[in-house]
């Protein structure tokens, strides 16, 4: 099956079928199912264990801490020793997180599970997404960016929906999905720089550094972060405090309701990417910035008017903003960064996005404890609206030449 509007050969130059490009995205989906599977269960755990909204956002942020720590290592290591040596241990940590979540009875257990989840996700968004591009080959880079990005947001939305329906039983199902992902990684027909790196691993010294991009690709990275960061921060807020907002507005703690809202948010993120895939990358990013800006306006209106429809609209617009920012950023990097630096470049994009996604929702959580959820959410929405507007201006004013570069001759930097 081929994505409509993206003309790709059934096999690349070395005969790798397009179905393997789709299959290679499965580990990304499986790990991202875990990333948000706990979201609808937080209100229940909060009631049973007993902790504040501030503590809730700290538990959520431990995922960001693990993810950022992983991103600082996994991208660089993956580009040097190969995708499998990074992805397989990450899937093992994800399985351990499932076991801890399924039996959690304390804040400490939730923190450890979230930390393990974050480390696994960090490895997947760097090495896993680069592996999709490796399997696709240079002639299908745009398809690879689309599938990797959609796999991420679809998994992120599927997790909360399954958790809302199954409760803690979601982690049993997730363990099965992760085992399938392990089998996919073992059999994945990696090629190009990843395969060469794996063969050369014993002779190469791995030097861990802050992830970046080759010289000349900084413009693409900056545009991607400028839009992706506000978008993913908006969805992070909905994931961390959305259930609390819903419980206050609807007077319900049903995990099904919270899970459904998260699922629809990320389903919108997935659909938005397929809808805009034919557009110019800069146009995609501008649309993402506009969507996030309007979404945060809807969030402010929702909490001040106690309106569930406006809250759902804010979640949908936030999902679309993240999806388009993510697709635009990944596509720019795929078009300008050589395969041997791609996992590191993906890591750099996600570091730029997840730092504010960790800091701002935690700040909003503690602010909500101090001044009330309405005031805290209003301040958060206003700050994020400003950041999204700045992101749109960055894309609008960036030199056009930045988007036309290709990766040939750019291995240095």
């Amino acid at each position: 099956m081929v994505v409509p509007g993206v003309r790709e050969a059934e096999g690349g130059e070395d005969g790798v079928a397009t179905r393997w490009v789709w299959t290679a995205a499965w580990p990304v989906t499986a790990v991202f199912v875990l990333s948000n599977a706990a979201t609808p269960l937080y209100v229940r755990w909060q009631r049973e264990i007993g902790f504040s909204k501030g503590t809730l956002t700290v538990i959520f942020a431990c995922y960001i801490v693990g993810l950022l720590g992983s991103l600082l290592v996994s991208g660089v290591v993956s580009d040097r020793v190969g995708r499998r040596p990074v992805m397989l241990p990450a899937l093992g940590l994800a399985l351990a997180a499932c076991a801890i979540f399924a039996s959690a009875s304390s804040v400490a257990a939730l923190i450890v599970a979230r930390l393990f989840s974050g480390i696994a996700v960090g490895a997947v968004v760097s090495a896993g997404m680069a592996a999709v591009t490796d399997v696709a080959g240079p002639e299908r880079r745009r398809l690879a960016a689309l599938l990797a990005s959609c796999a991420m947001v679809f998994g992120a939305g599927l997790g909360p929906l399954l958790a809302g329906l199954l409760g803690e039983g979601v982690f049993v199902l997730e363990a099965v999905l992760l085992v399938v992902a392990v089998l996919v990684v073992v059999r994945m027909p990696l090629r190009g720089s990843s395969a060469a790196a794996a063969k050369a691993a014993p002779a190469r010294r791995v030097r861990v550094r802050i992830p970046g991009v080759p010289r000349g690709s900084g413009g693409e990275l900056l545009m991607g972060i400028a839009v992706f960061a506000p978008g993913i921060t908006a969805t992070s807020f909905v994931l961390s405090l959305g259930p609390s907002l819903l419980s206050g507005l609807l007077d319900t703690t049903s995990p099904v309701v919270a899970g459904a809202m998260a699922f629809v948010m990320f389903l919108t993120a997935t659909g938005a990417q397929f809808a805009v895939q034919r557009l110019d990358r800069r146009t995609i990013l501008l649309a993402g910035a506009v969507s996030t800006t309007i979404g945060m306006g809807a969030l402010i209106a929702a909490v001040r008017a106690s309106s569930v429809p406006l809250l759902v609209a804010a979640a949908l617009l936030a999902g679309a903003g993240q999806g388009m920012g993510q697709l635009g950023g990944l596509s720019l990097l795929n078009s300008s960064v050589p395969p041997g630096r791609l996992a590191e470049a993906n890591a750099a994009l996600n570091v730029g996005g997840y730092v504010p996604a960790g800091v701002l929702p935690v700040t909003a959580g503690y602010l909500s404890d101090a001044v009330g959820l309405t005031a805290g959410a209003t301040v958060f929405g206003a700050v994020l609206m400003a950041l999204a507007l700045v992101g749109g201006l960055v894309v609008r004013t960036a030199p056009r030449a930045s988007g036309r570069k290709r990766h040939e001759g750019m291995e240095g930097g």
Side-chain angles (χ1 to χ4, degrees):
M1 181 166 60
V2 179
V3 180
V6 180
R7 293 194 298 264
E8 305 290 350
E10 179 63 25
E13 293 175 356
D14 60 358
V16 175
T18 299
R19 65 177 178 273
W20 254 115
V21 186
W22 286 76
T23 305
W26 173 251
V28 179
T29 299
V31 171
F32 269 91
V33 168
L34 174 65
S35 70
N36 293 329
T39 297
L41 305 176
Y42 284 139
V43 173
R44 179 188 300 175
W45 283 324
Q46 191 174 14
R47 183 178 65 252
E48 294 176 352
I49 299 173
F51 50 84
S52 68
K53 294 184 184 69
T55 300
L56 174 60
T57 53
V58 168
I59 294 171
F60 183 84
C62 284
Y63 162 82
I64 306 292
V65 171
L67 187 150
L68 291 174
S70 178
L71 287 172
L72 294 176
V73 177
S74 56
V76 176
V77 172
S78 172
D79 284 335
R80 280 155 178 73
V81 305
R83 312 305 183 206
R84 286 191 187 93
V86 173
M87 294 175 68
L88 290 175
L91 291 170
L93 272 182
L95 284 165
C98 283
I100 298 171
F101 269 132
S103 58
S105 59
S106 67
V107 170
L110 294 176
I111 285 175
V112 171
R114 287 293 285 171
L115 190 65
F116 283 5
S117 301
I119 294 171
V121 167
V124 164
V125 298
S126 52
M129 288 184 162
V132 179
T133 302
D134 289 344
V135 172
E139 69 280 7
R140 293 178 290 193
R141 280 176 165 269
R142 188 146 190 161
L143 174 66
L146 177 65
L147 293 184
S149 185
C150 287
M152 172 178 168
V153 293
F154 181 72
L158 186 59
L161 179 65
L162 293 174
L165 296 172
L166 303 176
E168 281 87 346
V170 68
F171 300 112
V172 177
L173 175 59
E174 168 61 0
V176 175
L177 302 182
L178 289 168
V179 170
V180 175
V182 170
L183 297 177
V184 169
V185 172
V186 169
R187 299 193 59 188
M188 192 180 293
L190 293 168
R191 60 185 183 175
S193 63
S194 180
K199 292 179 182 178
R204 300 182 68 179
R205 182 171 65 91
V206 175
R207 180 167 60 89
V208 176
R209 62 170 181 266
I210 295 175
V213 294
R215 187 176 297 111
S217 295
E220 284 84 352
L221 178 63
L222 176 61
M223 283 192 288
I225 290 175
V227 179
F228 175 53
I232 197 168
T233 303
T235 57
S236 294
F237 177 82
V238 174
L239 288 170
S240 60
L241 289 180
S244 297
L245 284 168
L246 281 174
S247 66
L249 295 176
L250 296 178
D251 193 26
T252 178
T253 59
S254 170
V256 177
V257 175
M261 186 175 75
F263 174 72
V264 173
M265 177 174 70
F266 285 111
L267 186 64
T268 302
T270 305
Q273 292 179 72
F274 278 97
V276 303
Q277 54 156 315
R278 299 187 187 187
L279 300 179
D280 174 79
R281 296 178 179 99
R282 187 185 297 256
T283 303
I284 294 173
L285 287 171
L286 286 173
V290 170
S291 184
T292 301
T293 302
I294 299 174
M296 291 304 94
L299 174 67
I300 293 172
V303 297
R304 302 199 74 82
S306 299
S307 170
V308 173
L310 281 174
L311 179 61
V312 173
L316 298 182
L317 288 163
Q322 178 190 332
M324 289 186 282
Q326 183 175 295
L327 175 62
L330 285 174
S331 296
L332 283 174
L333 294 179
N334 268 12
S335 70
S336 65
V337 176
R341 295 287 300 277
L342 188 56
E344 182 183 353
N346 289 345
L349 174 67
N350 281 279
V351 166
Y354 276 104
V355 166
V359 172
L360 291 179
V362 169
T363 303
Y366 277 106
L367 183 62
S368 297
D369 282 338
V371 301
L373 193 54
T374 298
T378 299
V379 172
F380 173 87
V383 170
L384 213 53
M385 280 183 71
L387 290 178
L389 286 171
V390 170
L393 289 174
V394 168
V395 175
R396 186 73 179 82
T397 59
R400 280 280 170 185
S402 176
R404 293 197 299 267
K405 293 193 295 293
R406 290 296 182 267
H407 65 77
E408 288 84 355
M410 296 174 60
E411 289 287 351

